Amino acid sequence: MRKLIAIVVVALVVASPALAEESIRVFDAWARASILASRPGAAYLTIESAAEDRLLGVTTPVAGRVMIHAVEKDGDVSRMKHIETLELPAGERVTLAPGGMHLMLMGLQVKLSEGTTFPMTLSFENAGEITVEVSVLGIAAEGPREAAE
C-alpha cells in the first residue's frame, strides 16, 4: 500500500506543471520594438483560464520590473493605472492589447529589437508559473496577427 501511495505522489508531482499549463493557456505573446533601452517597453498577450485564477506578477530577464497596467478613460483623456493582480474568470479570454491593458516593461536591460524573442514568466495564484516566449514585432505593430499578414 505504501508503494502505491508513493507512486501516486510521484506521478502527481511530475504531472503538476503539465496540469498548470492545461488549466491556463497563454498565447499571442508579443512586444513592440523599442527605440532605446532607457525607455519602458510594453508587452501584450492573451490568457485563457479553465478555472478562476489570478495573475499575481510577471518577470523577465530583459526588464528590471514588469507592471500590470489597466487604462482608465476620463472623457478624452486616458491614464495608465497600475493593478496588483489581474482577475481571470473561468472560461473567458483576457486580452492585453495596445490602447488597453498591457504589461509595462520597466528598466529595460537591452533595446527590444524587431525579430528577436525573450522569455517572460507569469505567476498565477493557482496554476503556478508559466514561461512564454515573447516575439518582438515592429515599433508600430498592432499585434501578431497583423505581422503574419
Side-chain angles (χ1 to χ4, degrees), residues 23-45:
S23 68
I24 290 198
R25 287 185 35 207
V26 180
F27 49 98
D28 291 340
W30 67 283
R32 284 188 174 138
S34 60
I35 297 169
L36 304 167
S38 60
R39 302 281 314 205
Y44 312 96
L45 46 76

Side-chain angles (χ1 to χ4, degrees), residues 2-147:
R2 285 185 181 167
K3 194 179 239 183
L4 178 61
I5 291 171
I7 291 171
V8 170
V9 168
V10 169
L12 287 174
V13 168
V14 170
S16 291
L19 293 174
E21 289 183 21
E22 286 180 17
S23 68
I24 290 198
R25 287 185 35 207
V26 180
F27 49 98
D28 291 340
W30 67 283
R32 284 188 174 138
S34 60
I35 297 169
L36 304 167
S38 60
R39 302 281 314 205
Y44 312 96
L45 46 76
T46 298
I47 305 170
E48 186 174 61
S49 181
E52 200 168 294
D53 208 335
R54 290 193 304 169
L55 177 61
L56 302 176
V58 181
T59 59
T60 179
V62 302
R65 182 173 181 204
V66 179
M67 299 172 71
I68 306 167
H69 280 174
V71 175
E72 291 183 340
K73 292 190 178 195
D74 183 12
D76 291 339
V77 178
S78 295
R79 289 185 176 85
M80 288 186 288
K81 178 185 175 191
H82 171 72
I83 55 176
E84 292 295 326
T85 62
L86 178 60
E87 298 295 325
L88 302 170
E92 292 183 27
R93 285 186 177 182
V94 176
T95 300
L96 285 66
M101 274 191 293
H102 58 277
L103 301 172
M104 187 64 83
L105 308 173
M106 309 295 287
L108 286 177
Q109 305 298 313
V110 296
K111 178 179 146 183
L112 301 179
S113 299
E114 185 175 354
T116 63
T117 63
F118 62 89
M120 188 162 42
T121 301
L122 292 82
S123 298
F124 298 94
E125 184 173 64
N126 299 316
E129 292 187 344
I130 296 175
T131 300
V132 296
E133 279 298 309
V134 179
S135 299
V136 180
L137 305 181
I139 290 174
E142 290 296 320
R145 296 191 197 310
E146 171 200 80

